[in-house]
Amino acid sequence: MSKEKGIPPGWSYNPASWGQRMPIVIAAMVGFAIATYLALFQLKVIDTVWEPFFGNGSQKILTSKTSQLLPIPDAALGAIGYLVDALAGIIGGTRRWRTMPWIVIAFGLAVGPLGFISVLLVVLQPVLYDAWCTLCLVTALISVVMIGPAMDEMLASLQYMKRVKDAKVSMWKAFWGYKEVQGRVI
């Protein structure tokens, strides 16, 4: 590992660098803002929703049975998911793939399923409702774009955990970032 830059062994860059993480955090905050706006419409706090391309498609999608399957609107769940992604993205330093594997793995597990659910909901729009929602498509795109960089960092943490296991060091302590483990495994 490059001590100065926190680059994992075998990597040419640090997947936990701020340059890698800040675009994800910014995208998550944009997703959070859009999903919150859509949730406000679903909760009837605002009367209309912006739709520049698909007529009343957004209203049709946002008031559909699919959007109401759970006790809270699906856009509100999306907003919560994006907020979790943003928070998990800013926690820890540039060596967190090694010093805080728990947050990196939680980050990856939060980003991945959100992207999958977004794609699923986009597929359902024309199939079930013969309609499209512009801002729903934007949030789905945001979710998908976030997956790659988040998975890079998660892979670095999982590789680190494998090295911990191979060195016969406590995986539990390494996962939670105990300092005594960090000096024993690169």
Side-chain angles (χ1 to χ4, degrees), residues 2 11 13 28 30 33 37 41 43-44 62 65 73 79 82 98-99 114 122 124 134 145 150 155 161:
S2 169
W11 290 65
Y13 66 97
V30 170
Y37 169 73
F41 172 76
L43 292 167
K44 298 180 179 23
L62 294 169
K65 290 185 192 242
Y82 285 117
R98 178 176 50 87
T99 61
L114 181 62
V122 164
L124 291 177
T134 300
V145 167
L155 177 60
M161 293 302 293

Side-chain angles (χ1 to χ4, degrees), residues 142-173:
I142 289 169
S143 294
V144 170
V145 167
M146 289 170 41
I147 293 173
M151 294 304 114
D152 274 0
E153 189 180 11
M154 188 165 135
L155 177 60
S157 280
L158 292 173
Q159 289 172 339
Y160 168 71
M161 293 302 293
K162 182 177 182 328
R163 289 191 301 277
V164 166
K165 180 182 177 199
D166 292 347
K168 299 191 182 341
V169 176
S170 170
M171 288 185 66
W172 179 257
K173 289 181 177 181

Side-chain angles (χ1 to χ4, degrees), residues 26 48 55 68 83 90 92 113 116 125 149 153 173 175 182:
I26 292 167
T48 60
Q68 300 169 6
L83 185 59
I90 60 171
F116 173 75
Q125 289 180 24
E153 189 180 11
K173 289 181 177 181
F175 182 76
Q182 293 169 24

Side-chain angles (χ1 to χ4, degrees), residues 1-24:
M1 174 181 77
S2 169
K3 292 265 185 203
E4 311 85 48
K5 298 183 182 181
I7 298 173
W11 290 65
S12 60
Y13 66 97
N14 180 356
S17 70
W18 289 111
Q20 292 288 317
R21 288 170 31 206
M22 283 312 292
I24 302 171

Side-chain angles (χ1 to χ4, degrees), residues 127-141:
V127 172
L128 294 179
Y129 303 105
D130 194 30
W132 291 98
C133 166
T134 300
L135 292 178
C136 303
L137 293 172
V138 170
T139 60
L141 178 63

